[in-house]
Amino acid sequence: MECIFCNIDKESIIKKNELAFAIKDKYPHSKGHVLIIPFRHYENFFDSTNNELEAFSDLLFKMKTYTDEKYKPVAYIVSVNAGKKAGQVIMHAHIHLIPRY
């Protein structure tokens, strides 16, 4: 089965760095919900390298600033589902940034 994150349309990318990219969630929990995804395919967030963790952090803060300016939320949920039993649906590591209003 092909991974949808590995085959993402490059025009869907909002921001990126060397190791990760951010896109809008296809089924958002709220306006501005984004995913931060490593370019390297691996399932579990806990298998991230230190460099990938830094790339996630870089994009997480950049996307928070972007979302603050565009949507003006009052709070955020930062979420990682690590494994099927935790609710992970797409088996490619990723982080959710979910604005709250």
Side-chain angles (χ1 to χ4, degrees):
M1 187 162 116
E2 288 191 22
C3 174
I4 62 171
F5 289 165
C6 289
N7 295 301
I8 199 78
D9 175 13
K10 302 301 180 210
E11 293 183 14
S12 300
I13 296 174
I14 301 168
K15 289 194 183 299
K16 67 180 180 174
N17 58 31
E18 186 178 320
L19 299 177
F21 61 97
I23 61 170
K24 292 180 181 179
D25 191 289
K26 189 173 182 180
Y27 304 102
H29 291 281
S30 66
K31 182 174 54 178
H33 179 173
V34 297
L35 304 175
I36 300 167
I37 306 162
F39 284 112
R40 179 174 73 93
H41 180 92
Y42 58 99
E43 290 185 12
N44 194 308
F45 175 80
F46 293 105
D47 292 330
S48 301
T49 66
N50 286 338
N51 287 338
E52 286 163 334
L53 292 171
E54 288 178 20
F56 277 140
S57 182
D58 172 62
L59 282 178
L60 185 64
F61 282 86
K62 285 180 178 171
M63 289 309 301
K64 184 214 179 271
T65 299
Y66 171 88
T67 305
D68 283 346
E69 293 170 359
K70 187 165 184 170
Y71 299 108
K72 308 207 180 340
V74 297
Y76 286 92
I77 296 171
V78 178
S79 172
V80 175
N81 300 341
K84 287 182 183 179
K85 298 257 184 205
Q88 185 175 355
V89 176
I90 298 171
M91 302 314 289
H92 183 131
H94 58 284
I95 298 174
H96 293 261
L97 178 64
I98 305 169
R100 305 303 290 173
Y101 300 92

